[in-house]
Amino acid sequence: MRINKYLSASGVASRRKCEEIILAKRVTINGAVVDVLSTDVNEKKDVVCVDGIQVKLPGEFVYLKLNKPKGYACTASDEKGRKTIFELVKSDVRLFSVGRLDYDTEGLIFLTNDGEFANLVIHPKFHFEKEYHVLVEGAVKESELAVLRKGAVVDGKRMPPAKVKALSFDGNITKISVVINEGQNHQVRRMFEAIGREIRLLKRVRIGSVTLGGLSRGKTKPLTAEEISSFRGDK
Ligand code: URA
């Protein structure tokens, strides 16, 4: 198979964009730079990398999005014997979650067997936003949100700044959108603790440009080639 076809079939980018990537000498086959569009790849044996990250044809890697319900742990086997997200997933291959959500947090999480992809999504240096919807009791004031935007101080340390906006106030519940780039432990919960607000419900609705969409609670769906490549920065 030609290298440009291999790359586009692997979800790196469109065929035309893949040609640009090859000509820019960003592609290696078995460690050697390839800049000739007609180069053939032996898809059974060759190791193809873009910017040093291995890419494989679909079918070799699995990428799923899950709408994690509250009350599920993100570990393969929970030491407290609690239900885990892996009970919700049918797969012939062993998958792991891309980052974690707390037991009581619901929403979007990816499952894959592609370690490079997982690293791209969660590593703070790649700056992929994670958006959460937070339900909080009472009317939250702008001044409180301003503290979260600047970086609330938790245990004497300032949390990273966040994009924060109130979305609605209904039935004494304020719904707030919080967008962060990092994935510190319990980050959103700690931010709200710092302003003395208890979270009623925490739900992740977006990672990068991939949204939960209409995916029902507890259900999985394969990521599209476009969604996968959106993390590789070639769109
Ligand atoms: N922040 C939290 O506090 N919990 C999560 O599960 C995710 C982000």
Side-chain angles (χ1 to χ4, degrees), residues 49 51-55 61 63 96 112-122 126 232:
C49 294
D51 298 335
I53 293 170
Q54 191 175 0
V55 292
F61 283 137
Y63 307 90
F96 52 85
T112 187
N113 53 350
D114 180 352
E116 303 278 8
F117 174 78
N119 190 44
L120 269 179
V121 175
I122 55 181
F126 298 114
R232 298 208 166 100

PDB file of all heavy atoms in Angstrom, residues 49 51-55 61 63 96 112-122 126 232:
ATOM      1  N   CYS A  49       5.751   5.903  11.421  1.00  0.00           N
ATOM      2  CA  CYS A  49       5.560   6.932  12.458  1.00  0.00           C
ATOM      3  C   CYS A  49       5.370   8.305  11.814  1.00  0.00           C
ATOM      4  O   CYS A  49       5.957   8.598  10.771  1.00  0.00           O
ATOM      5  CB  CYS A  49       6.781   7.025  13.370  1.00  0.00           C
ATOM      6  SG  CYS A  49       7.073   5.559  14.355  1.00  0.00           S
ATOM      7  N   ASP A  51       5.863  12.187  13.092  1.00  0.00           N
ATOM      8  CA  ASP A  51       6.437  12.955  14.219  1.00  0.00           C
ATOM      9  C   ASP A  51       6.836  12.025  15.359  1.00  0.00           C
ATOM     10  O   ASP A  51       6.641  12.347  16.542  1.00  0.00           O
ATOM     11  CB  ASP A  51       5.428  14.004  14.724  1.00  0.00           C
ATOM     12  CG  ASP A  51       5.088  15.018  13.664  1.00  0.00           C
ATOM     13  OD1 ASP A  51       5.909  15.229  12.760  1.00  0.00           O
ATOM     14  OD2 ASP A  51       3.981  15.594  13.729  1.00  0.00           O
ATOM     15  N   GLY A  52       7.328  10.850  14.999  1.00  0.00           N
ATOM     16  CA  GLY A  52       7.820   9.922  16.022  1.00  0.00           C
ATOM     17  C   GLY A  52       6.743   9.089  16.695  1.00  0.00           C
ATOM     18  O   GLY A  52       7.044   8.259  17.541  1.00  0.00           O
ATOM     19  N   ILE A  53       5.487   9.315  16.302  1.00  0.00           N
ATOM     20  CA  ILE A  53       4.400   8.558  16.939  1.00  0.00           C
ATOM     21  C   ILE A  53       3.877   7.519  15.950  1.00  0.00           C
ATOM     22  O   ILE A  53       3.530   7.852  14.807  1.00  0.00           O
ATOM     23  CB  ILE A  53       3.264   9.504  17.389  1.00  0.00           C
ATOM     24  CG1 ILE A  53       3.783  10.396  18.505  1.00  0.00           C
ATOM     25  CG2 ILE A  53       2.045   8.710  17.863  1.00  0.00           C
ATOM     26  CD1 ILE A  53       2.866  11.512  18.884  1.00  0.00           C
ATOM     27  N   GLN A  54       3.832   6.267  16.408  1.00  0.00           N
ATOM     28  CA  GLN A  54       3.439   5.195  15.496  1.00  0.00           C
ATOM     29  C   GLN A  54       1.967   5.314  15.091  1.00  0.00           C
ATOM     30  O   GLN A  54       1.103   5.625  15.914  1.00  0.00           O
ATOM     31  CB  GLN A  54       3.670   3.822  16.153  1.00  0.00           C
ATOM     32  CG  GLN A  54       3.514   2.696  15.143  1.00  0.00           C
ATOM     33  CD  GLN A  54       3.848   1.328  15.710  1.00  0.00           C
ATOM     34  OE1 GLN A  54       4.209   1.206  16.875  1.00  0.00           O
ATOM     35  NE2 GLN A  54       3.729   0.316  14.883  1.00  0.00           N
ATOM     36  N   VAL A  55       1.712   5.100  13.800  1.00  0.00           N
ATOM     37  CA  VAL A  55       0.321   5.060  13.326  1.00  0.00           C
ATOM     38  C   VAL A  55       0.051   3.681  12.737  1.00  0.00           C
ATOM     39  O   VAL A  55       0.923   3.076  12.133  1.00  0.00           O
ATOM     40  CB  VAL A  55       0.013   6.152  12.269  1.00  0.00           C
ATOM     41  CG1 VAL A  55       0.052   7.523  12.876  1.00  0.00           C
ATOM     42  CG2 VAL A  55       0.953   6.089  11.083  1.00  0.00           C
ATOM     43  N   PHE A  61      -5.956  -0.960  16.198  1.00  0.00           N
ATOM     44  CA  PHE A  61      -6.220  -0.244  17.441  1.00  0.00           C
ATOM     45  C   PHE A  61      -7.718  -0.048  17.594  1.00  0.00           C
ATOM     46  O   PHE A  61      -8.444   0.076  16.606  1.00  0.00           O
ATOM     47  CB  PHE A  61      -5.544   1.125  17.428  1.00  0.00           C
ATOM     48  CG  PHE A  61      -4.062   1.091  17.687  1.00  0.00           C
ATOM     49  CD1 PHE A  61      -3.204   1.868  16.932  1.00  0.00           C
ATOM     50  CD2 PHE A  61      -3.533   0.302  18.699  1.00  0.00           C
ATOM     51  CE1 PHE A  61      -1.837   1.867  17.182  1.00  0.00           C
ATOM     52  CE2 PHE A  61      -2.162   0.292  18.948  1.00  0.00           C
ATOM     53  CZ  PHE A  61      -1.321   1.075  18.189  1.00  0.00           C
ATOM     54  N   TYR A  63     -10.614   2.429  19.467  1.00  0.00           N
ATOM     55  CA  TYR A  63     -10.834   3.732  20.111  1.00  0.00           C
ATOM     56  C   TYR A  63     -12.333   3.871  20.371  1.00  0.00           C
ATOM     57  O   TYR A  63     -13.116   3.916  19.412  1.00  0.00           O
ATOM     58  CB  TYR A  63     -10.400   4.887  19.211  1.00  0.00           C
ATOM     59  CG  TYR A  63      -8.987   4.783  18.695  1.00  0.00           C
ATOM     60  CD1 TYR A  63      -8.725   4.136  17.491  1.00  0.00           C
ATOM     61  CD2 TYR A  63      -7.927   5.344  19.397  1.00  0.00           C
ATOM     62  CE1 TYR A  63      -7.428   4.043  17.006  1.00  0.00           C
ATOM     63  CE2 TYR A  63      -6.631   5.245  18.911  1.00  0.00           C
ATOM     64  CZ  TYR A  63      -6.388   4.594  17.716  1.00  0.00           C
ATOM     65  OH  TYR A  63      -5.112   4.504  17.247  1.00  0.00           O
ATOM     66  N   PHE A  96      -7.712   0.153  27.928  1.00  0.00           N
ATOM     67  CA  PHE A  96      -7.546   0.936  29.156  1.00  0.00           C
ATOM     68  C   PHE A  96      -8.199   2.289  28.941  1.00  0.00           C
ATOM     69  O   PHE A  96      -8.459   2.684  27.798  1.00  0.00           O
ATOM     70  CB  PHE A  96      -6.065   1.062  29.544  1.00  0.00           C
ATOM     71  CG  PHE A  96      -5.185   1.566  28.442  1.00  0.00           C
ATOM     72  CD1 PHE A  96      -5.022   2.916  28.209  1.00  0.00           C
ATOM     73  CD2 PHE A  96      -4.530   0.664  27.597  1.00  0.00           C
ATOM     74  CE1 PHE A  96      -4.225   3.364  27.178  1.00  0.00           C
ATOM     75  CE2 PHE A  96      -3.721   1.109  26.575  1.00  0.00           C
ATOM     76  CZ  PHE A  96      -3.571   2.466  26.362  1.00  0.00           C
ATOM     77  N   THR A 112      -9.076   2.765  24.914  1.00  0.00           N
ATOM     78  CA  THR A 112      -8.266   2.402  23.755  1.00  0.00           C
ATOM     79  C   THR A 112      -7.241   1.351  24.148  1.00  0.00           C
ATOM     80  O   THR A 112      -7.087   1.031  25.333  1.00  0.00           O
ATOM     81  CB  THR A 112      -7.547   3.653  23.185  1.00  0.00           C
ATOM     82  OG1 THR A 112      -6.885   3.311  21.972  1.00  0.00           O
ATOM     83  CG2 THR A 112      -6.525   4.212  24.151  1.00  0.00           C
ATOM     84  N   ASN A 113      -6.537   0.826  23.149  1.00  0.00           N
ATOM     85  CA  ASN A 113      -5.353   0.001  23.407  1.00  0.00           C
ATOM     86  C   ASN A 113      -4.130   0.665  22.771  1.00  0.00           C
ATOM     87  O   ASN A 113      -3.109   0.035  22.577  1.00  0.00           O
ATOM     88  CB  ASN A 113      -5.544  -1.427  22.867  1.00  0.00           C
ATOM     89  CG  ASN A 113      -5.952  -1.441  21.401  1.00  0.00           C
ATOM     90  OD1 ASN A 113      -6.272  -0.410  20.827  1.00  0.00           O
ATOM     91  ND2 ASN A 113      -5.955  -2.606  20.802  1.00  0.00           N
ATOM     92  N   ASP A 114      -4.263   1.952  22.419  1.00  0.00           N
ATOM     93  CA  ASP A 114      -3.194   2.706  21.763  1.00  0.00           C
ATOM     94  C   ASP A 114      -2.589   3.696  22.773  1.00  0.00           C
ATOM     95  O   ASP A 114      -3.147   4.766  23.027  1.00  0.00           O
ATOM     96  CB  ASP A 114      -3.802   3.447  20.552  1.00  0.00           C
ATOM     97  CG  ASP A 114      -2.772   4.278  19.793  1.00  0.00           C
ATOM     98  OD1 ASP A 114      -1.628   4.410  20.273  1.00  0.00           O
ATOM     99  OD2 ASP A 114      -3.117   4.796  18.724  1.00  0.00           O
ATOM    100  N   GLY A 115      -1.436   3.304  23.309  1.00  0.00           N
ATOM    101  CA  GLY A 115      -0.790   4.113  24.345  1.00  0.00           C
ATOM    102  C   GLY A 115      -0.353   5.483  23.865  1.00  0.00           C
ATOM    103  O   GLY A 115      -0.425   6.459  24.598  1.00  0.00           O
ATOM    104  N   GLU A 116       0.077   5.565  22.608  1.00  0.00           N
ATOM    105  CA  GLU A 116       0.528   6.857  22.067  1.00  0.00           C
ATOM    106  C   GLU A 116      -0.651   7.826  21.985  1.00  0.00           C
ATOM    107  O   GLU A 116      -0.525   9.008  22.298  1.00  0.00           O
ATOM    108  CB  GLU A 116       1.101   6.683  20.648  1.00  0.00           C
ATOM    109  CG  GLU A 116       2.229   5.710  20.530  1.00  0.00           C
ATOM    110  CD  GLU A 116       3.557   6.323  20.928  1.00  0.00           C
ATOM    111  OE1 GLU A 116       3.548   7.457  21.443  1.00  0.00           O
ATOM    112  OE2 GLU A 116       4.580   5.664  20.736  1.00  0.00           O
ATOM    113  N   PHE A 117      -1.778   7.302  21.564  1.00  0.00           N
ATOM    114  CA  PHE A 117      -2.980   8.136  21.468  1.00  0.00           C
ATOM    115  C   PHE A 117      -3.358   8.646  22.868  1.00  0.00           C
ATOM    116  O   PHE A 117      -3.632   9.830  23.057  1.00  0.00           O
ATOM    117  CB  PHE A 117      -4.125   7.327  20.852  1.00  0.00           C
ATOM    118  CG  PHE A 117      -5.442   8.047  20.836  1.00  0.00           C
ATOM    119  CD1 PHE A 117      -5.699   9.022  19.887  1.00  0.00           C
ATOM    120  CD2 PHE A 117      -6.426   7.764  21.781  1.00  0.00           C
ATOM    121  CE1 PHE A 117      -6.911   9.707  19.877  1.00  0.00           C
ATOM    122  CE2 PHE A 117      -7.641   8.441  21.770  1.00  0.00           C
ATOM    123  CZ  PHE A 117      -7.881   9.408  20.815  1.00  0.00           C
ATOM    124  N   ALA A 118      -3.344   7.739  23.832  1.00  0.00           N
ATOM    125  CA  ALA A 118      -3.706   8.113  25.207  1.00  0.00           C
ATOM    126  C   ALA A 118      -2.784   9.233  25.694  1.00  0.00           C
ATOM    127  O   ALA A 118      -3.235  10.214  26.291  1.00  0.00           O
ATOM    128  CB  ALA A 118      -3.602   6.894  26.108  1.00  0.00           C
ATOM    129  N   ASN A 119      -1.512   9.107  25.381  1.00  0.00           N
ATOM    130  CA  ASN A 119      -0.549  10.109  25.818  1.00  0.00           C
ATOM    131  C   ASN A 119      -0.825  11.466  25.173  1.00  0.00           C
ATOM    132  O   ASN A 119      -0.767  12.508  25.819  1.00  0.00           O
ATOM    133  CB  ASN A 119       0.869   9.627  25.487  1.00  0.00           C
ATOM    134  CG  ASN A 119       1.905  10.507  26.121  1.00  0.00           C
ATOM    135  OD1 ASN A 119       1.768  10.867  27.291  1.00  0.00           O
ATOM    136  ND2 ASN A 119       2.899  10.890  25.354  1.00  0.00           N
ATOM    137  N   LEU A 120      -1.173  11.420  23.880  1.00  0.00           N
ATOM    138  CA  LEU A 120      -1.490  12.672  23.165  1.00  0.00           C
ATOM    139  C   LEU A 120      -2.673  13.388  23.825  1.00  0.00           C
ATOM    140  O   LEU A 120      -2.682  14.601  23.959  1.00  0.00           O
ATOM    141  CB  LEU A 120      -1.943  12.341  21.739  1.00  0.00           C
ATOM    142  CG  LEU A 120      -0.920  12.281  20.633  1.00  0.00           C
ATOM    143  CD1 LEU A 120      -1.599  11.927  19.329  1.00  0.00           C
ATOM    144  CD2 LEU A 120      -0.231  13.628  20.507  1.00  0.00           C
ATOM    145  N   VAL A 121      -3.667  12.616  24.217  1.00  0.00           N
ATOM    146  CA  VAL A 121      -4.904  13.210  24.746  1.00  0.00           C
ATOM    147  C   VAL A 121      -4.689  13.780  26.146  1.00  0.00           C
ATOM    148  O   VAL A 121      -5.184  14.859  26.469  1.00  0.00           O
ATOM    149  CB  VAL A 121      -6.042  12.158  24.769  1.00  0.00           C
ATOM    150  CG1 VAL A 121      -7.295  12.714  25.434  1.00  0.00           C
ATOM    151  CG2 VAL A 121      -6.355  11.672  23.346  1.00  0.00           C
ATOM    152  N   ILE A 122      -3.930  13.041  26.977  1.00  0.00           N
ATOM    153  CA  ILE A 122      -3.878  13.484  28.382  1.00  0.00           C
ATOM    154  C   ILE A 122      -2.673  14.338  28.741  1.00  0.00           C
ATOM    155  O   ILE A 122      -2.706  15.032  29.735  1.00  0.00           O
ATOM    156  CB  ILE A 122      -3.977  12.300  29.385  1.00  0.00           C
ATOM    157  CG1 ILE A 122      -2.919  11.252  29.124  1.00  0.00           C
ATOM    158  CG2 ILE A 122      -5.349  11.717  29.410  1.00  0.00           C
ATOM    159  CD1 ILE A 122      -3.011  10.070  30.093  1.00  0.00           C
ATOM    160  N   PHE A 126       0.088  19.037  25.339  1.00  0.00           N
ATOM    161  CA  PHE A 126      -0.679  19.136  24.093  1.00  0.00           C
ATOM    162  C   PHE A 126      -1.925  20.021  24.224  1.00  0.00           C
ATOM    163  O   PHE A 126      -2.593  20.303  23.230  1.00  0.00           O
ATOM    164  CB  PHE A 126      -1.045  17.734  23.580  1.00  0.00           C
ATOM    165  CG  PHE A 126       0.167  16.914  23.250  1.00  0.00           C
ATOM    166  CD1 PHE A 126       0.478  15.772  23.974  1.00  0.00           C
ATOM    167  CD2 PHE A 126       1.027  17.301  22.242  1.00  0.00           C
ATOM    168  CE1 PHE A 126       1.613  15.030  23.686  1.00  0.00           C
ATOM    169  CE2 PHE A 126       2.171  16.567  21.951  1.00  0.00           C
ATOM    170  CZ  PHE A 126       2.459  15.426  22.670  1.00  0.00           C
ATOM    171  N   ARG A 232      -4.207  14.629  16.617  1.00  0.00           N
ATOM    172  CA  ARG A 232      -2.855  14.569  16.044  1.00  0.00           C
ATOM    173  C   ARG A 232      -2.451  15.905  15.436  1.00  0.00           C
ATOM    174  O   ARG A 232      -1.386  16.044  14.889  1.00  0.00           O
ATOM    175  CB  ARG A 232      -2.772  13.442  15.003  1.00  0.00           C
ATOM    176  CG  ARG A 232      -3.039  12.078  15.627  1.00  0.00           C
ATOM    177  CD  ARG A 232      -2.339  10.984  14.874  1.00  0.00           C
ATOM    178  NE  ARG A 232      -2.326   9.762  15.643  1.00  0.00           N
ATOM    179  CZ  ARG A 232      -3.157   8.739  15.462  1.00  0.00           C
ATOM    180  NH1 ARG A 232      -4.063   8.781  14.504  1.00  0.00           N
ATOM    181  NH2 ARG A 232      -3.083   7.669  16.210  1.00  0.00           N
TER     182      ARG A 232
END
